[in-house]
Structures are given as C-alpha cells and as structure tokens.
Amino acid sequence: MSDITIALPDDVKEIIQTIESHGYEAFAVGGCIRDSILGRNPDDWDITTSARPEQVKSFFKRTIDTGIQHGTVTVMLHHTGYEVTTYRIDGEYKDGRHPESVEFSGKLVDDLQRRDFTINAMAYNEKQGFVDEFDGLSDMKQGIIRCVGDPKQRFLEDALRMMRAIRFSAQLGFAIEQETYDAMVALAGNIAQVSMERVQVELVKTLLSDNPSYVKRFAESGLFAVNLPCIDNILTGKYARNALTMLKYAPKQSVLRYAALFNMAEPQETKNALKSLKLDNYTIDTVTKLVTYEKDVIAENEPAVREALHKYGIDMLQLMFTHEHARICTQEEILGLSMSAKKLHLERIEQMSKEILQRGDCFTIKELDITGNDLKEYGLQGAQIGKMLNELLHIVIENPKLNEKETLIAMIEHVDID
Ligand code: ATP
Ligand code: MG
C-alpha cells in the first residue's frame, strides 16, 4: 500500500461504503484517480466493484440500467449519477471494436488489466488505499502514456485506443512511450474499423486540449492517412505550421479550433472534411462560414459594421472577430513581425459593433419601425413589400436616425423598387 491519499467526494464514499457493508469490494477507478493525482478536477467518478449488477441494484434506492449487459449500473445519489461497473474481463475482440462477450470477475486486478493505459488503470478506496498494479503512478510522474500489457494486442482489440493515446498525451502534455507508439504506427490502418463518431470525439478532445498542436501526431503516426485524408494533408502540407500555430491562439471552443485547423483550406474542402467527420450541422455550417468569410473585409465605419451585423448575424460576427484575431496573431508569429495596423482595424470595428449593439441601432427588418402590414396599407403588394422593407433597411443601416415610422412612410414613394 502506498502513501497516496485521494479525497473522495462524499457521494463516492457513501457508494463504496454501502457496497462494502454488503460484503463486497468497491473502488474509485480510472480517469478520476488519474486526474485527482494530477491535481485536476475529475469530470466524473467511476466505481468498480466485485458485486454483480443485480446486487448493486439491490443496495441502492435509485439506479438506472445503463449498460447492464456490460456490468454497468448508474447509481443516483443527490441528483448525480455514478457509474458502478462490476469487475470485468473483456472477451475476445473480433472486430477491433467491441468485445464479443464480457466476463465478470471477483478480482480487481482483472478489471485493471482490461483498461487501456497504465495511468487509467489505478484504483483507490479508503479501506485498501491506492492500487497501482501497472505502475501508472511512475508513468504519470514521467509524463508517459503506456498501454497496459502488450500494446499491439491492446490496439488490435480496440483500434480507438490509438487515438485515445494521442488525445491523453495532448490533454496531459505527455509523451507516448516508444513501444506503444511503434505499435500505433504498425497498426494505424486499423483505425478504419472505428466509427467516425468515436474518432471525432477523440479529435475534438485533442483540439480542445491545452496542447492542440499535438493533433499533428494523428498524421505522424499514420492514423489519418486512410480515414481522413483532408486533415492528413493539412497536417503534413505546406500550411501545417500555420494550422498548428493558429490552434494555439484560437479559444477553446470547438468551432473556433476546427476553423483554425481548416483556416488555409478551401471552404468546400472544409465542408467535405467536416461532413466526413459526421459533425453536427451547427459545427459544419459555422466552421465552413468562418473559413469562407475570412476573405471578407469590413470597412472601418459604422454603416459597414451595421451591414456586417445584418449579413452575418451577431453571434457569427463575434466568432469572425475572434477567428480573425487568432489569424493575425498566427501571421505575426510565423512572419516574425508585428501587424499592429491589422490589429487596430479589428479592435476598432469590434468596438463599433459593441457600441451599435449597446445603442440598439437597427440592422434587421424586424427592428425597422415599419412592418409589411403598414406597407400594405400604403398600397404595396406581394414581392414589393419585401423589396421595400429591404431598401428601407439599407437606408436605415446607413442612417439609424431615419428609423421612425413617419420618416419611413414619407420615403416610400421615393424609393425605387422596380
Ligand atoms: P475522460 O472522461 O476525461 O475522457 P477517462 O479516463 O475517464 O477520461 P473514459 O472514456 O471516461 O475516460 O473511460 C473511463 C475509464 O475506462 C478509462 O480511464 C479507462 O480505464 C477505461 N476505458 C475507457 N475506454 C477504454 C478503451 N477503449 N479501452 C480500454 N479501457 C478503456
Ligand atoms: Mg470519464
């Protein structure tokens, strides 16, 4: 037993003690132990136990059958769910994705052995203390991602683990142990067996990590060569440095990190790559727009900024400002020179847009002080109404003071909509 102590949350202590009171073992395990030792706040606390799922269910008032065939029951305590999983030995993996079967076990070490990396295979409870059968602590101290057992076999079982290795290395700033890395290079092609949804989760976690430039390891190891040739090209092509540098300046928001990755790519190419990643429509649309609008220039005057608010919308324009800021910082770093004029221009139009929004200037048809119905009363019909509203909007965007019903009505007969 080592002298490591981990401050378990009260709920986790309660779950472990309840299981122990029925004569079984239970430990907090995996990511929560890794993160606690690293001084990071664990996202969630997983518990592993010698008790079978049916027994776990009988020990607690509220449970959910999350993945009962795999031994997982969610225990609800104070409105929070905790996954409690029976010690497991994973059966043979035939497709490199899912074990054919799982076998329950009474031994903690069996369960630790099925886990992917040594740093993810540590367990802890207050009774038995810290359990570290595969030297995860030592790897953690050295900053190394290493498979539990033979890396080739582990990657053959589940090819996604190769991406997880890179993702964890980016999140933690760790190196990948040589034998583990060599196995990745040898088996990289097997990633084709993994669904794009799972691939995408690891990719975005890497992009959103403290070391987003580690994304290049997906290309270096060959993991993207077959599956994602477009991203592979970006990460190995002449603009690779640009993309990797920009990732550092883009805030941790998935659309902005994706846009940084694709910022030198063609919009259509970007869209296709995002589609092949099976991303949601919002992300595909927003990132493609960011890459498309990069070339647009917004002049440094209020009508132009109101026009931009009209054309792109408030949220999109804000993202465009942030994206542009990261682009300028990237160019500055790569070219080794200051771009103060570009930065100043960006700051000024950003400031203008803030003031416009604070004042509540009109830049949409909805905000016009006149409606389609008003226009009807003045004899306009059908398509004329929309055209007139548009014309009036552009007049108001030029001069917001004109956004008063009387004034707008007076203008109707002078505006040419044919
Ligand atoms: P995070 O939640 O921050 O992504 P985590 O380590 O908690 O990190 P999860 O995917 O939530 O990762 O998995 C919980 C634990 O289950 C891991 O720590 C690991 O022990 C084990 N695990 C998860 N996925 C795999 C896998 N593909 N192969 C082997 N073990 C895995
Ligand atoms: Mg987790």
Side-chain angles (χ1 to χ4, degrees):
M1 188 158 147
S2 110
D3 54 2
I4 295 258
T5 52
I6 287 168
L8 300 176
D10 288 342
D11 283 356
V12 175
K13 283 188 203 168
E14 190 179 324
I15 293 170
I16 292 176
Q17 280 160 11
T18 303
I19 296 174
E20 285 173 346
S21 74
H22 288 87
Y24 297 93
E25 288 178 357
F27 291 83
V29 69
C32 59
I33 303 303
R34 176 197 70 221
D35 289 344
S36 298
I37 295 174
L38 288 168
R40 298 161 75 101
N41 220 354
D43 287 335
D44 39 39
W45 291 80
D46 295 329
I47 293 154
T48 187
T49 178
S50 57
R52 299 295 159 100
E54 301 307 327
Q55 293 166 321
V56 173
K57 281 171 72 172
S58 72
F59 302 157
F60 298 94
K61 261 206 204 90
R62 293 196 54 214
T63 62
I64 302 165
D65 291 1
T66 317
I68 200 130
Q69 68 280 32
H70 295 112
T72 304
V73 171
T74 298
V75 172
M76 294 303 300
L77 218 55
H78 308 116
H79 306 288
T80 308
Y82 297 88
E83 289 199 348
V84 179
T85 305
T86 305
Y87 295 162
R88 227 169 76 180
I89 301 169
D90 289 344
E92 194 187 345
Y93 285 68
K94 291 224 167 102
D95 58 357
R97 277 178 290 186
H98 311 289
E100 289 293 298
S101 61
V102 302
E103 189 188 323
F104 296 139
S105 159
K107 288 201 306 235
L108 173 64
V109 64
D110 287 337
D111 189 79
L112 298 178
Q113 198 153 13
R114 74 167 170 93
R115 294 174 183 271
D116 46 8
F117 306 111
T118 60
I119 60 166
N120 287 346
M122 299 176 285
Y124 182 85
N125 71 14
E126 295 195 319
K127 214 163 147 189
Q128 281 147 286
F130 181 59
V131 181
D132 180 19
E133 294 284 333
F134 302 99
D135 288 334
L137 187 60
S138 149
D139 286 342
M140 206 145 66
K141 283 183 180 154
Q142 293 177 68
I144 291 176
I145 309 288
R146 181 202 308 270
C147 281
V148 172
D150 172 24
K152 273 205 173 139
Q153 190 196 330
R154 304 314 310 280
F155 293 151
L156 279 169
E157 287 167 359
D158 179 5
L160 184 76
R161 290 174 186 152
M162 299 188 276
M163 284 198 71
R164 284 173 59 89
I166 293 175
R167 184 259 284 195
F168 285 118
S169 82
Q171 286 179 323
L172 306 173
F174 280 17
I176 298 172
E177 179 267 332
Q178 194 61 45
E179 211 185 318
T180 299
Y181 189 79
D182 291 344
M184 276 168 64
V185 174
L187 297 170
N190 287 10
I191 198 69
Q193 302 167 343
V194 178
S195 76
M196 234 358 138
E197 286 82 354
R198 292 177 84 204
V199 164
Q200 193 275 125
V201 168
E202 299 305 322
L203 172 61
V204 81
K205 284 187 175 179
T206 305
L207 291 175
L208 292 175
S209 72
D210 283 344
N211 301 288
S213 68
Y214 284 25
V215 73
K216 69 173 183 289
R217 293 183 173 177
F218 290 124
E220 287 167 354
S221 58
L223 277 168
F224 278 180
V226 184
N227 248 13
L228 294 163
C230 172
I231 301 183
D232 199 64
N233 285 341
I234 289 173
L235 295 171
T236 53
K238 64 175 173 175
Y239 296 124
R241 182 164 167 225
N242 178 292
L244 297 174
T245 306
M246 185 158 167
L247 280 167
K248 205 170 56 182
Y249 290 107
K252 285 184 182 175
Q253 197 177 331
S254 59
V255 288
L256 289 168
R257 290 265 162 114
Y258 272 120
L261 181 63
F262 288 104
N263 91 96
M264 299 299 273
E266 291 301 322
Q268 193 54 49
E269 211 183 332
T270 303
K271 192 168 196 164
N272 294 343
L274 295 167
K275 275 190 176 162
S276 66
L277 279 167
K278 301 242 165 77
L279 280 157
D280 57 285
N281 288 338
Y282 167 79
T283 306
I284 297 176
D285 191 50
T286 308
V287 176
T288 306
K289 280 179 173 164
L290 281 169
V291 172
T292 308
Y293 298 153
E294 271 169 8
K295 289 161 196 93
D296 293 9
V297 179
I298 302 168
E300 206 170 296
N301 60 67
E302 291 204 334
V305 176
R306 278 189 292 271
E307 194 65 57
L309 281 161
H310 169 64
K311 179 173 173 192
Y312 307 115
I314 300 173
D315 294 345
M316 189 67 210
L317 188 62
Q318 189 51 56
L319 285 172
M320 286 165 66
F321 288 150
T322 312
H323 181 69
E324 180 63 13
H325 185 260
R327 262 167 71 83
I328 298 171
C329 293
T330 304
Q331 285 169 6
E332 283 187 326
E333 184 178 319
I334 288 179
L335 301 173
L337 44 86
S338 141
M339 299 202 149
S340 44
K342 268 195 170 178
K343 270 194 173 152
L344 196 60
H345 171 77
L346 181 61
E347 270 166 33
R348 286 195 176 136
I349 56 177
E350 219 175 330
Q351 182 59 28
M352 280 179 194
S353 97
K354 267 195 201 123
E355 287 166 11
I356 288 165
L357 291 172
Q358 266 165 17
R359 269 200 312 265
D361 288 359
C362 163
F363 54 85
T364 63
I365 286 182
K366 237 174 79 186
E367 296 162 316
L368 275 178
D369 200 22
I370 196 165
T371 65
N373 277 336
D374 296 329
L375 295 180
K376 255 188 202 158
E377 278 182 34
Y378 284 86
L380 274 73
Q381 295 169 341
Q384 287 180 319
I385 294 177
K387 278 188 189 166
M388 179 58 76
L389 287 171
N390 252 321
E391 288 302 319
L392 292 176
L393 176 64
H394 286 104
I395 291 170
V396 166
I397 281 177
E398 276 293 327
N399 191 342
K401 289 202 181 79
L402 301 181
N403 193 23
E404 285 199 3
K405 202 163 181 167
E406 298 287 295
T407 319
L408 295 173
I409 287 168
M411 279 193 293
I412 294 175
E413 54 186 294
H414 304 292
V415 174
D416 187 6
I417 51 167
D418 294 324

